[in-house]
Amino acid sequence: MHGDNQSGASEFLLLGISESPKEQRILFWMFLSMYLVTVVGNVLIILAIVSDSHLHTPMYLFLANLSFTDLFFVTNTIPKTLVNLQSQNKAISYAGCLTQLFFLVCLVTLDNFILATMAYDRYVAVCRPLHYVTAMSPGLCILLLTSCWALSVLYGLFLTLFMTKVTFCGSRKIHYIFCEMYVLLRIACSNTQIIHTVQITTGCFIFFTPLGIMIMSYAWIVKAILQIPSATGKYKAFSTCASHLAVVSLFYGTLGMVYLQPLQTYSMKDSVATVMYAVVTPMMNPFIYSLRNKDMHGALGRLFLGKAFQKLT
């Protein structure tokens, strides 16, 4: 790249949601609070699962991976956002922007796949309980998780390499909290039709395939629950799936609002939905999964009691 294009693509300016100093101070403390809650919540989930042998089951293995993904997800974007909110220099390098984009695509995709895997796990647990141990063997769980990670990394690399073909020669200002594909395509000066078509096509496959797996899984789960004779049994079966359904609804609802639309209609109003799936969902997941889960309550209690006992001795 030469001339204006080189200077334009050497760095971008992440202006965030608002340029008002007063609003930026409010946003700083809001994002800092949410980031700290997200980190503490997801780290506690991971530590509880790792330290408690009662939770060494497929469901909690997938949950630990989801918590790790959420932890990595917010760490990829929020610290830079906090620095920008406190600094006059809001620049991010071209390489830094593409790195942020790679992890964003990779981790959103991984969230999709892990949520679908968790839905399948719940289907086996509710609909085929006698075959659960063999159907969800350790080898299969490792294979599922390895496949989720590998496909996510490959998809992130695929879209990021596509973005390296896009040129930027006009405004470098990004009115967003992080480098996001739609925002970059909007400020590009080269033809972005091909990459946008590829992104929509592959994105629909990445989005709808796991969603289809989840819908099918829960259709069978609901059918199985309705056949349970006792109300107590129905409640117990549904409660094991309610947390996952809440996370799925929050994640897919906000993700769909942002990405299932034409590039021309993408605007600042979508930043609210982006904050929801990029910040609020990772923060809410630990609460959703732990508040209704007695096993998680017990594991967290034993974790804290163990730490307290170590201090006393």
Side-chain angles (χ1 to χ4, degrees), residues 91-119:
I92 183 171
S93 68
Y94 176 73
C97 192
L98 287 186
T99 300
Q100 201 175 64
L101 176 66
F102 163 73
F103 284 114
L104 178 69
V105 173
C106 175
L107 295 169
V108 168
T109 305
L110 186 56
D111 255 355
N112 273 277
F113 289 153
I114 291 177
L115 287 172
T117 306
M118 293 175 77

PDB file of all heavy atoms in Angstrom, residues 91-119:
ATOM      1  N   ALA A  91      -5.839   5.763  19.275  1.00  0.00           N
ATOM      2  CA  ALA A  91      -5.389   5.017  18.096  1.00  0.00           C
ATOM      3  C   ALA A  91      -5.187   3.546  18.400  1.00  0.00           C
ATOM      4  O   ALA A  91      -4.827   3.156  19.509  1.00  0.00           O
ATOM      5  CB  ALA A  91      -4.084   5.620  17.571  1.00  0.00           C
ATOM      6  N   ILE A  92      -5.451   2.732  17.390  1.00  0.00           N
ATOM      7  CA  ILE A  92      -5.111   1.311  17.420  1.00  0.00           C
ATOM      8  C   ILE A  92      -4.455   0.987  16.078  1.00  0.00           C
ATOM      9  O   ILE A  92      -4.925   1.430  15.033  1.00  0.00           O
ATOM     10  CB  ILE A  92      -6.354   0.418  17.659  1.00  0.00           C
ATOM     11  CG1 ILE A  92      -5.934  -1.067  17.754  1.00  0.00           C
ATOM     12  CG2 ILE A  92      -7.432   0.623  16.602  1.00  0.00           C
ATOM     13  CD1 ILE A  92      -7.058  -2.000  18.197  1.00  0.00           C
ATOM     14  N   SER A  93      -3.361   0.274  16.119  1.00  0.00           N
ATOM     15  CA  SER A  93      -2.627  -0.020  14.885  1.00  0.00           C
ATOM     16  C   SER A  93      -3.440  -0.920  13.963  1.00  0.00           C
ATOM     17  O   SER A  93      -4.369  -1.613  14.405  1.00  0.00           O
ATOM     18  CB  SER A  93      -1.287  -0.685  15.213  1.00  0.00           C
ATOM     19  OG  SER A  93      -1.505  -1.987  15.752  1.00  0.00           O
ATOM     20  N   TYR A  94      -3.079  -0.915  12.695  1.00  0.00           N
ATOM     21  CA  TYR A  94      -3.745  -1.776  11.713  1.00  0.00           C
ATOM     22  C   TYR A  94      -3.617  -3.240  12.122  1.00  0.00           C
ATOM     23  O   TYR A  94      -4.601  -3.992  12.113  1.00  0.00           O
ATOM     24  CB  TYR A  94      -3.107  -1.540  10.338  1.00  0.00           C
ATOM     25  CG  TYR A  94      -3.635  -2.425   9.240  1.00  0.00           C
ATOM     26  CD1 TYR A  94      -4.903  -2.233   8.702  1.00  0.00           C
ATOM     27  CD2 TYR A  94      -2.846  -3.460   8.717  1.00  0.00           C
ATOM     28  CE1 TYR A  94      -5.381  -3.042   7.693  1.00  0.00           C
ATOM     29  CE2 TYR A  94      -3.328  -4.279   7.703  1.00  0.00           C
ATOM     30  CZ  TYR A  94      -4.596  -4.066   7.187  1.00  0.00           C
ATOM     31  OH  TYR A  94      -5.061  -4.877   6.184  1.00  0.00           O
ATOM     32  N   ALA A  95      -2.399  -3.651  12.523  1.00  0.00           N
ATOM     33  CA  ALA A  95      -2.175  -5.032  12.963  1.00  0.00           C
ATOM     34  C   ALA A  95      -2.979  -5.339  14.230  1.00  0.00           C
ATOM     35  O   ALA A  95      -3.559  -6.419  14.371  1.00  0.00           O
ATOM     36  CB  ALA A  95      -0.690  -5.274  13.207  1.00  0.00           C
ATOM     37  N   GLY A  96      -3.008  -4.374  15.153  1.00  0.00           N
ATOM     38  CA  GLY A  96      -3.763  -4.550  16.396  1.00  0.00           C
ATOM     39  C   GLY A  96      -5.249  -4.674  16.130  1.00  0.00           C
ATOM     40  O   GLY A  96      -5.943  -5.469  16.778  1.00  0.00           O
ATOM     41  N   CYS A  97      -5.740  -3.921  15.152  1.00  0.00           N
ATOM     42  CA  CYS A  97      -7.161  -3.956  14.793  1.00  0.00           C
ATOM     43  C   CYS A  97      -7.534  -5.311  14.206  1.00  0.00           C
ATOM     44  O   CYS A  97      -8.547  -5.913  14.583  1.00  0.00           O
ATOM     45  CB  CYS A  97      -7.460  -2.841  13.796  1.00  0.00           C
ATOM     46  SG  CYS A  97      -9.221  -2.536  13.535  1.00  0.00           S
ATOM     47  N   LEU A  98      -6.686  -5.816  13.307  1.00  0.00           N
ATOM     48  CA  LEU A  98      -6.956  -7.117  12.699  1.00  0.00           C
ATOM     49  C   LEU A  98      -6.824  -8.254  13.719  1.00  0.00           C
ATOM     50  O   LEU A  98      -7.557  -9.247  13.659  1.00  0.00           O
ATOM     51  CB  LEU A  98      -6.013  -7.371  11.520  1.00  0.00           C
ATOM     52  CG  LEU A  98      -6.286  -6.574  10.239  1.00  0.00           C
ATOM     53  CD1 LEU A  98      -5.371  -7.048   9.119  1.00  0.00           C
ATOM     54  CD2 LEU A  98      -7.740  -6.671   9.802  1.00  0.00           C
ATOM     55  N   THR A  99      -5.900  -8.097  14.667  1.00  0.00           N
ATOM     56  CA  THR A  99      -5.756  -9.103  15.734  1.00  0.00           C
ATOM     57  C   THR A  99      -7.022  -9.139  16.589  1.00  0.00           C
ATOM     58  O   THR A  99      -7.540 -10.215  16.918  1.00  0.00           O
ATOM     59  CB  THR A  99      -4.540  -8.781  16.621  1.00  0.00           C
ATOM     60  OG1 THR A  99      -3.357  -8.782  15.814  1.00  0.00           O
ATOM     61  CG2 THR A  99      -4.383  -9.804  17.733  1.00  0.00           C
ATOM     62  N   GLN A 100      -7.524  -7.955  16.928  1.00  0.00           N
ATOM     63  CA  GLN A 100      -8.761  -7.862  17.707  1.00  0.00           C
ATOM     64  C   GLN A 100      -9.925  -8.481  16.936  1.00  0.00           C
ATOM     65  O   GLN A 100     -10.754  -9.205  17.503  1.00  0.00           O
ATOM     66  CB  GLN A 100      -9.047  -6.388  18.025  1.00  0.00           C
ATOM     67  CG  GLN A 100      -9.955  -6.171  19.201  1.00  0.00           C
ATOM     68  CD  GLN A 100     -10.098  -4.712  19.546  1.00  0.00           C
ATOM     69  OE1 GLN A 100     -10.619  -3.921  18.756  1.00  0.00           O
ATOM     70  NE2 GLN A 100      -9.657  -4.331  20.738  1.00  0.00           N
ATOM     71  N   LEU A 101      -9.964  -8.221  15.632  1.00  0.00           N
ATOM     72  CA  LEU A 101     -11.017  -8.774  14.778  1.00  0.00           C
ATOM     73  C   LEU A 101     -10.933 -10.301  14.726  1.00  0.00           C
ATOM     74  O   LEU A 101     -11.961 -10.987  14.810  1.00  0.00           O
ATOM     75  CB  LEU A 101     -10.896  -8.204  13.362  1.00  0.00           C
ATOM     76  CG  LEU A 101     -11.877  -8.758  12.328  1.00  0.00           C
ATOM     77  CD1 LEU A 101     -13.308  -8.365  12.674  1.00  0.00           C
ATOM     78  CD2 LEU A 101     -11.514  -8.270  10.923  1.00  0.00           C
ATOM     79  N   PHE A 102      -9.714 -10.838  14.595  1.00  0.00           N
ATOM     80  CA  PHE A 102      -9.541 -12.293  14.542  1.00  0.00           C
ATOM     81  C   PHE A 102     -10.099 -12.962  15.790  1.00  0.00           C
ATOM     82  O   PHE A 102     -10.867 -13.928  15.703  1.00  0.00           O
ATOM     83  CB  PHE A 102      -8.056 -12.653  14.382  1.00  0.00           C
ATOM     84  CG  PHE A 102      -7.742 -14.087  14.732  1.00  0.00           C
ATOM     85  CD1 PHE A 102      -8.128 -15.122  13.888  1.00  0.00           C
ATOM     86  CD2 PHE A 102      -7.103 -14.399  15.932  1.00  0.00           C
ATOM     87  CE1 PHE A 102      -7.869 -16.455  14.218  1.00  0.00           C
ATOM     88  CE2 PHE A 102      -6.838 -15.727  16.259  1.00  0.00           C
ATOM     89  CZ  PHE A 102      -7.218 -16.755  15.402  1.00  0.00           C
ATOM     90  N   PHE A 103      -9.711 -12.454  16.967  1.00  0.00           N
ATOM     91  CA  PHE A 103     -10.178 -13.072  18.205  1.00  0.00           C
ATOM     92  C   PHE A 103     -11.681 -12.876  18.387  1.00  0.00           C
ATOM     93  O   PHE A 103     -12.370 -13.755  18.921  1.00  0.00           O
ATOM     94  CB  PHE A 103      -9.410 -12.520  19.403  1.00  0.00           C
ATOM     95  CG  PHE A 103      -8.026 -13.079  19.537  1.00  0.00           C
ATOM     96  CD1 PHE A 103      -6.912 -12.280  19.374  1.00  0.00           C
ATOM     97  CD2 PHE A 103      -7.840 -14.431  19.806  1.00  0.00           C
ATOM     98  CE1 PHE A 103      -5.624 -12.813  19.485  1.00  0.00           C
ATOM     99  CE2 PHE A 103      -6.573 -14.977  19.915  1.00  0.00           C
ATOM    100  CZ  PHE A 103      -5.462 -14.164  19.754  1.00  0.00           C
ATOM    101  N   LEU A 104     -12.201 -11.739  17.933  1.00  0.00           N
ATOM    102  CA  LEU A 104     -13.643 -11.497  18.025  1.00  0.00           C
ATOM    103  C   LEU A 104     -14.416 -12.537  17.224  1.00  0.00           C
ATOM    104  O   LEU A 104     -15.335 -13.179  17.746  1.00  0.00           O
ATOM    105  CB  LEU A 104     -13.964 -10.088  17.509  1.00  0.00           C
ATOM    106  CG  LEU A 104     -15.441  -9.689  17.494  1.00  0.00           C
ATOM    107  CD1 LEU A 104     -15.964  -9.520  18.908  1.00  0.00           C
ATOM    108  CD2 LEU A 104     -15.645  -8.409  16.700  1.00  0.00           C
ATOM    109  N   VAL A 105     -14.033 -12.732  15.963  1.00  0.00           N
ATOM    110  CA  VAL A 105     -14.706 -13.713  15.095  1.00  0.00           C
ATOM    111  C   VAL A 105     -14.532 -15.118  15.652  1.00  0.00           C
ATOM    112  O   VAL A 105     -15.497 -15.896  15.749  1.00  0.00           O
ATOM    113  CB  VAL A 105     -14.144 -13.638  13.654  1.00  0.00           C
ATOM    114  CG1 VAL A 105     -14.724 -14.771  12.798  1.00  0.00           C
ATOM    115  CG2 VAL A 105     -14.449 -12.286  13.026  1.00  0.00           C
ATOM    116  N   CYS A 106     -13.300 -15.446  16.038  1.00  0.00           N
ATOM    117  CA  CYS A 106     -12.980 -16.781  16.548  1.00  0.00           C
ATOM    118  C   CYS A 106     -13.794 -17.099  17.800  1.00  0.00           C
ATOM    119  O   CYS A 106     -14.392 -18.184  17.912  1.00  0.00           O
ATOM    120  CB  CYS A 106     -11.482 -16.862  16.843  1.00  0.00           C
ATOM    121  SG  CYS A 106     -10.961 -18.407  17.617  1.00  0.00           S
ATOM    122  N   LEU A 107     -13.874 -16.171  18.738  1.00  0.00           N
ATOM    123  CA  LEU A 107     -14.519 -16.441  20.022  1.00  0.00           C
ATOM    124  C   LEU A 107     -16.042 -16.414  19.923  1.00  0.00           C
ATOM    125  O   LEU A 107     -16.725 -17.179  20.624  1.00  0.00           O
ATOM    126  CB  LEU A 107     -14.028 -15.446  21.070  1.00  0.00           C
ATOM    127  CG  LEU A 107     -12.523 -15.583  21.393  1.00  0.00           C
ATOM    128  CD1 LEU A 107     -12.030 -14.403  22.237  1.00  0.00           C
ATOM    129  CD2 LEU A 107     -12.233 -16.892  22.108  1.00  0.00           C
ATOM    130  N   VAL A 108     -16.601 -15.552  19.062  1.00  0.00           N
ATOM    131  CA  VAL A 108     -18.049 -15.574  18.841  1.00  0.00           C
ATOM    132  C   VAL A 108     -18.454 -16.905  18.226  1.00  0.00           C
ATOM    133  O   VAL A 108     -19.457 -17.519  18.608  1.00  0.00           O
ATOM    134  CB  VAL A 108     -18.488 -14.407  17.929  1.00  0.00           C
ATOM    135  CG1 VAL A 108     -19.932 -14.599  17.457  1.00  0.00           C
ATOM    136  CG2 VAL A 108     -18.383 -13.083  18.670  1.00  0.00           C
ATOM    137  N   THR A 109     -17.653 -17.377  17.246  1.00  0.00           N
ATOM    138  CA  THR A 109     -17.906 -18.669  16.615  1.00  0.00           C
ATOM    139  C   THR A 109     -17.801 -19.795  17.633  1.00  0.00           C
ATOM    140  O   THR A 109     -18.642 -20.716  17.659  1.00  0.00           O
ATOM    141  CB  THR A 109     -16.903 -18.908  15.468  1.00  0.00           C
ATOM    142  OG1 THR A 109     -16.953 -17.808  14.554  1.00  0.00           O
ATOM    143  CG2 THR A 109     -17.216 -20.196  14.729  1.00  0.00           C
ATOM    144  N   LEU A 110     -16.799 -19.727  18.483  1.00  0.00           N
ATOM    145  CA  LEU A 110     -16.604 -20.761  19.506  1.00  0.00           C
ATOM    146  C   LEU A 110     -17.775 -20.784  20.483  1.00  0.00           C
ATOM    147  O   LEU A 110     -18.234 -21.864  20.884  1.00  0.00           O
ATOM    148  CB  LEU A 110     -15.290 -20.506  20.252  1.00  0.00           C
ATOM    149  CG  LEU A 110     -14.845 -21.562  21.265  1.00  0.00           C
ATOM    150  CD1 LEU A 110     -14.734 -22.934  20.621  1.00  0.00           C
ATOM    151  CD2 LEU A 110     -13.504 -21.165  21.883  1.00  0.00           C
ATOM    152  N   ASP A 111     -18.271 -19.614  20.867  1.00  0.00           N
ATOM    153  CA  ASP A 111     -19.460 -19.544  21.728  1.00  0.00           C
ATOM    154  C   ASP A 111     -20.639 -20.266  21.069  1.00  0.00           C
ATOM    155  O   ASP A 111     -21.370 -21.016  21.728  1.00  0.00           O
ATOM    156  CB  ASP A 111     -19.828 -18.080  21.999  1.00  0.00           C
ATOM    157  CG  ASP A 111     -19.444 -17.640  23.398  1.00  0.00           C
ATOM    158  OD1 ASP A 111     -18.983 -18.485  24.181  1.00  0.00           O
ATOM    159  OD2 ASP A 111     -19.591 -16.451  23.715  1.00  0.00           O
ATOM    160  N   ASN A 112     -20.832 -20.012  19.760  1.00  0.00           N
ATOM    161  CA  ASN A 112     -21.899 -20.684  19.016  1.00  0.00           C
ATOM    162  C   ASN A 112     -21.785 -22.193  19.128  1.00  0.00           C
ATOM    163  O   ASN A 112     -22.759 -22.884  19.457  1.00  0.00           O
ATOM    164  CB  ASN A 112     -21.805 -20.299  17.530  1.00  0.00           C
ATOM    165  CG  ASN A 112     -22.547 -19.028  17.190  1.00  0.00           C
ATOM    166  OD1 ASN A 112     -23.743 -19.038  16.974  1.00  0.00           O
ATOM    167  ND2 ASN A 112     -21.821 -17.928  17.134  1.00  0.00           N
ATOM    168  N   PHE A 113     -20.595 -22.700  18.835  1.00  0.00           N
ATOM    169  CA  PHE A 113     -20.381 -24.147  18.804  1.00  0.00           C
ATOM    170  C   PHE A 113     -20.517 -24.780  20.188  1.00  0.00           C
ATOM    171  O   PHE A 113     -21.096 -25.866  20.333  1.00  0.00           O
ATOM    172  CB  PHE A 113     -19.002 -24.465  18.218  1.00  0.00           C
ATOM    173  CG  PHE A 113     -18.880 -24.207  16.742  1.00  0.00           C
ATOM    174  CD1 PHE A 113     -17.652 -23.902  16.165  1.00  0.00           C
ATOM    175  CD2 PHE A 113     -19.987 -24.266  15.915  1.00  0.00           C
ATOM    176  CE1 PHE A 113     -17.535 -23.668  14.802  1.00  0.00           C
ATOM    177  CE2 PHE A 113     -19.890 -24.034  14.545  1.00  0.00           C
ATOM    178  CZ  PHE A 113     -18.661 -23.739  13.992  1.00  0.00           C
ATOM    179  N   ILE A 114     -19.980 -24.103  21.208  1.00  0.00           N
ATOM    180  CA  ILE A 114     -20.053 -24.672  22.559  1.00  0.00           C
ATOM    181  C   ILE A 114     -21.498 -24.704  23.058  1.00  0.00           C
ATOM    182  O   ILE A 114     -21.929 -25.687  23.685  1.00  0.00           O
ATOM    183  CB  ILE A 114     -19.149 -23.887  23.539  1.00  0.00           C
ATOM    184  CG1 ILE A 114     -17.678 -24.138  23.195  1.00  0.00           C
ATOM    185  CG2 ILE A 114     -19.419 -24.323  24.980  1.00  0.00           C
ATOM    186  CD1 ILE A 114     -16.695 -23.360  24.056  1.00  0.00           C
ATOM    187  N   LEU A 115     -22.264 -23.661  22.772  1.00  0.00           N
ATOM    188  CA  LEU A 115     -23.676 -23.644  23.169  1.00  0.00           C
ATOM    189  C   LEU A 115     -24.451 -24.774  22.489  1.00  0.00           C
ATOM    190  O   LEU A 115     -25.317 -25.398  23.101  1.00  0.00           O
ATOM    191  CB  LEU A 115     -24.304 -22.285  22.836  1.00  0.00           C
ATOM    192  CG  LEU A 115     -23.873 -21.118  23.729  1.00  0.00           C
ATOM    193  CD1 LEU A 115     -24.400 -19.803  23.183  1.00  0.00           C
ATOM    194  CD2 LEU A 115     -24.351 -21.316  25.171  1.00  0.00           C
ATOM    195  N   ALA A 116     -24.126 -25.055  21.218  1.00  0.00           N
ATOM    196  CA  ALA A 116     -24.776 -26.166  20.512  1.00  0.00           C
ATOM    197  C   ALA A 116     -24.384 -27.505  21.128  1.00  0.00           C
ATOM    198  O   ALA A 116     -25.220 -28.409  21.290  1.00  0.00           O
ATOM    199  CB  ALA A 116     -24.396 -26.139  19.036  1.00  0.00           C
ATOM    200  N   THR A 117     -23.106 -27.635  21.496  1.00  0.00           N
ATOM    201  CA  THR A 117     -22.625 -28.864  22.129  1.00  0.00           C
ATOM    202  C   THR A 117     -23.302 -29.079  23.481  1.00  0.00           C
ATOM    203  O   THR A 117     -23.672 -30.211  23.836  1.00  0.00           O
ATOM    204  CB  THR A 117     -21.096 -28.805  22.314  1.00  0.00           C
ATOM    205  OG1 THR A 117     -20.480 -28.517  21.061  1.00  0.00           O
ATOM    206  CG2 THR A 117     -20.554 -30.122  22.829  1.00  0.00           C
ATOM    207  N   MET A 118     -23.487 -27.996  24.221  1.00  0.00           N
ATOM    208  CA  MET A 118     -24.167 -28.087  25.519  1.00  0.00           C
ATOM    209  C   MET A 118     -25.626 -28.492  25.339  1.00  0.00           C
ATOM    210  O   MET A 118     -26.182 -29.235  26.161  1.00  0.00           O
ATOM    211  CB  MET A 118     -24.056 -26.759  26.259  1.00  0.00           C
ATOM    212  CG  MET A 118     -22.632 -26.410  26.679  1.00  0.00           C
ATOM    213  SD  MET A 118     -22.480 -24.771  27.418  1.00  0.00           S
ATOM    214  CE  MET A 118     -23.137 -25.077  29.056  1.00  0.00           C
ATOM    215  N   ALA A 119     -26.259 -28.003  24.263  1.00  0.00           N
ATOM    216  CA  ALA A 119     -27.649 -28.372  23.991  1.00  0.00           C
ATOM    217  C   ALA A 119     -27.747 -29.867  23.692  1.00  0.00           C
ATOM    218  O   ALA A 119     -28.673 -30.552  24.156  1.00  0.00           O
ATOM    219  CB  ALA A 119     -28.188 -27.560  22.814  1.00  0.00           C
TER     220      ALA A 119
END
